[in-house]
Amino acid sequence: MLKIWVAILALLNVVLLSACNSGVEQVELESNLVELLSRAERDQVYIEEGDFVMGDFGAVQNGQWLPYFPPTAEIDEAHAVELSGFSLSAYETTWKDYDTYSLIHDKPIVIRSGGEEYPREAYLQNLEHDHDLRKPARVTWQEAKDYCLWLRDKTGIAFDLPTSAQWEFAARNRGSKDWIYPTHDGKATPNGARRGGEGCIFWTGVCSVGTNLPPNPLGLYDMAGNEEEWVEDWYSETYYRESNGVKNPTGPLEGTKKEVRSLEVGSLSFSFSRRAMPAVLSNGSVALAGFRCAVQSPESIH
């Protein structure tokens, strides 16, 4: 915790300048910065090392293994993975935290839509809006990466994006084959499961972070539902077939698309919850997704 307070003190001069330039009160920005850095450490859930079968691990019926989704079984081929311990945020990064980060770096506060950007107010409080400060932030992969590395730089803690294997291991309750869906109980969630989530928007399905479903047994919220999430890995249709038995896989060395992970509540099973996202979409707009930061250390930070 001492590292956090050292980081806060070092940033106060920057906060003063940023507050003046943005119209946000200095006291508010300072308070939000203190909260952000403190919570970034506090919300990390330590996940012990282990091994699991990643991908479309399928089911055994009458003594025969069958994939859950045959059309993509080759791309999502089940393969053995071993992971060292790591930590993962219990929550997706919110607009409140990302706005604080943006203000400190004098980045514009905008809405992106259809390849265009429109200015908006920081710390928007409107539960009927996707940019409400309690909703998950949607940013580019590089912006998500930069945010996590900023936390690393300011705290001295090894923050970064999680790998795809780490994300899946955590979402499946340490890789349990009983966790077919990345929900709180590993089971499919019936239609209408968004009832009870704070400020859920019908046409996007986005709710305030951590309010829709209970956490999974590790204490992680919104691994199913809310925004898809960026992970570290490049996407490859062949990587799963090439990485059986790899310890701490990080994906291909290069590529043209990044992976996003998650699963729409009430949708198909967990095995199919990864997809590729190009930097620029077909309509010319940038690719946006949510994210949560991990701590790439085999030891707990608490």
Side-chain angles (χ1 to χ4, degrees):
M1 197 64 187
L2 177 60
K3 290 180 180 178
I4 298 295
W5 286 107
V6 170
I8 291 169
L9 291 173
L11 280 170
L12 287 182
N13 287 337
V14 177
V15 169
L16 175 60
L17 178 61
S18 300
C20 292
N21 290 342
S22 66
V24 174
E25 292 291 334
Q26 179 192 356
V27 173
E28 180 182 11
L29 188 52
E30 286 183 2
S31 175
N32 289 341
L33 173 62
V34 171
E35 180 189 3
L36 185 164
L37 292 177
S38 299
R39 190 164 20 78
E41 179 181 4
R42 186 175 65 249
D43 285 351
Q44 287 291 317
V45 174
Y46 181 66
I47 300 167
E48 295 181 355
E49 66 183 4
D51 55 76
F52 74 117
V53 177
M54 184 177 179
D56 190 347
F57 51 90
V60 176
Q61 297 181 10
N62 299 322
Q64 181 182 4
W65 178 83
L66 297 173
Y68 281 117
F69 197 56
T72 62
E74 186 177 7
I75 295 173
D76 295 323
E77 182 173 309
H79 59 288
V81 169
E82 182 181 353
L83 292 176
S84 302
F86 64 99
S87 299
L88 186 64
S89 177
Y91 303 96
E92 294 174 309
T93 302
T94 62
W95 277 120
K96 180 179 181 181
D97 286 348
Y98 195 80
D99 282 1
T100 298
Y101 164 79
S102 297
L103 291 170
I104 289 171
H105 290 84
D106 203 24
K107 295 177 179 289
I109 307 296
V110 297
I111 295 172
R112 291 164 168 155
S113 178
E116 301 291 336
E117 291 187 352
Y118 309 92
R120 64 171 173 85
E121 64 178 282
Y123 305 134
L124 178 66
Q125 296 191 58
N126 180 352
L127 281 172
E128 296 181 357
H129 202 292
D130 273 343
H131 289 74
D132 176 81
L133 79 175
R134 291 153 287 196
K135 301 284 178 65
R138 296 185 73 240
V139 300
T140 68
W141 180 89
Q142 191 62 59
E143 288 169 335
K145 176 79 170 179
D146 289 347
Y147 177 94
C148 295
L149 293 183
W150 170 73
L151 289 178
R152 170 182 289 201
D153 179 56
K154 297 307 175 188
T155 65
I157 298 170
F159 285 101
D160 205 340
L161 287 174
T163 66
S164 186
Q166 288 173 335
W167 196 98
E168 182 169 332
F169 186 66
R172 278 178 44 202
N173 190 22
R174 299 190 70 252
S176 170
K177 284 191 174 182
D178 293 330
W179 245 255
I180 301 176
Y181 298 80
T183 53
H184 56 292
D185 58 4
K187 297 179 173 59
T189 305
N191 293 333
R194 297 192 187 98
R195 288 197 303 266
E198 181 185 71
C200 293
I201 299 176
F202 176 77
W203 56 91
T204 64
V206 176
C207 307
S208 296
V209 165
T211 67
N212 190 28
L213 295 173
N216 77 359
L218 298 177
L220 304 171
Y221 292 83
D222 298 322
M223 303 299 275
N226 259 3
E227 296 290 357
E228 294 179 301
E229 298 179 19
W230 294 115
V231 292
E232 178 69 21
D233 306 39
W234 292 104
Y235 179 85
S236 167
E237 290 190 353
T238 64
Y239 185 72
Y240 277 23
R241 302 196 296 273
E242 300 162 354
S243 56
N244 187 56
V246 172
K247 183 174 182 178
N248 298 324
T250 56
L253 295 177
E254 57 185 8
T256 60
K257 300 177 181 179
K258 286 291 186 177
E259 277 195 25
V260 288
R261 303 299 308 257
S262 190
L263 190 69
E264 188 66 24
V265 172
S267 184
L268 295 171
S269 86
F270 181 81
S271 300
F272 333 124
S273 65
R274 74 173 183 132
R275 71 184 184 96
M277 190 89 90
V280 179
L281 302 179
S282 57
N283 65 357
S285 61
V286 292
L288 304 174
F291 72 102
R292 69 183 77 210
C293 297
V295 173
Q296 299 296 354
S297 170
E299 307 294 333
S300 173
I301 62 173
H302 298 304

